[in-house]
Amino acid sequence: MASNRYLWCESFKLDDAPRLPCPRCNDGQLFVDRETISSATVADSLEYFEQNGMDPEFDYHRFVLLMTCNNGKCRETVAVAGTTKYEEVKNWMGEVSYSTIFEPQTMIPGPALMAIPNGTPSKATEAIRQAFTAFWGDRGSAANRLRISVERIMDAENIDPAKKLHQRIDDFGVAHPELMDTLDALRHVGNLGSHDGDVGREELLAAFEIYQEWLRNYYGRYKDRIDAMTAELLANKGKLVSKF
């Protein structure tokens, strides 16, 4: 997911479009349906061409397209919109051509940047999925949605909603001191999104990555499962008796 940084590129050439995970089935990958691509030159470029003549360097388009899940049992579609620009390419003979670069600014529904285990509170899950969509065009909003998801977890844990989030995390940490740091880190990232209006791409991807592990350990009981399998393999000389 977010740990696979190469998937979440800010731009791509059509032949190198990333194989993003399907937001519906999570098993399939999304592929660009080339027949659905539509684009038009932006007004600023048209005005520039009228005054200065055609120049690929200033030729910007807005595009829409669909990406489709390759899982035959799913076939989900994701609507993508954004801008394109041209990149100069020279071959070995020095001949110049131009490649189209796609820069997505929205994907609906947003591909999952992290796994959300069963047991995660539904309102927290909803906020996280909203962050998936916001990631492409408004990273500040995406960070803020992650912060809100932490608030919804505190709600589910029946921690006083009248308190500020850092106080609620402190209260949660009384019973779970080893789980506080991740929530506090997410709070800080969310604060950047709320106050500064933007968050760095790497910082946001890191937030998704560490949040996934937190949810997997807390709601998915992943560490407990690993510990139980390890103990059984040790007790039975390398054999598993239980089903995990």
Side-chain angles (χ1 to χ4, degrees), residues 7 23 25-26 28 72 96 105 108 117 154 174 177 211 214 219-220 225 232:
L7 285 176
C25 71
N26 293 318
V96 175
Q105 294 174 343
I108 304 173
M154 296 299 98
V174 172
Y211 201 7
W214 190 95
Y219 290 109
R225 181 170 176 266
E232 191 160 302

Side-chain angles (χ1 to χ4, degrees), residues 20-21 40 45 60 81 103 113 124 128 140 157 182 189 191 236:
L20 298 172
S45 291
Y60 296 95
E103 298 178 328
L113 286 109
I128 293 168
E157 295 291 323
T182 294
V189 172
N191 286 346
N236 296 292

Side-chain angles (χ1 to χ4, degrees), residues 13 16 25 88-89 94 109 124 217 236 242:
K13 296 179 183 178
D16 299 322
C25 71
E88 183 177 292
V89 178
N217 285 329
N236 296 292
S242 305

Side-chain angles (χ1 to χ4, degrees), residues 17-36:
R19 303 295 186 246
L20 298 172
C22 174
R24 180 172 180 267
C25 71
N26 293 318
D27 294 324
Q29 295 177 318
L30 298 173
F31 285 77
V32 173
D33 182 347
R34 295 183 181 230
E35 294 183 359
T36 67

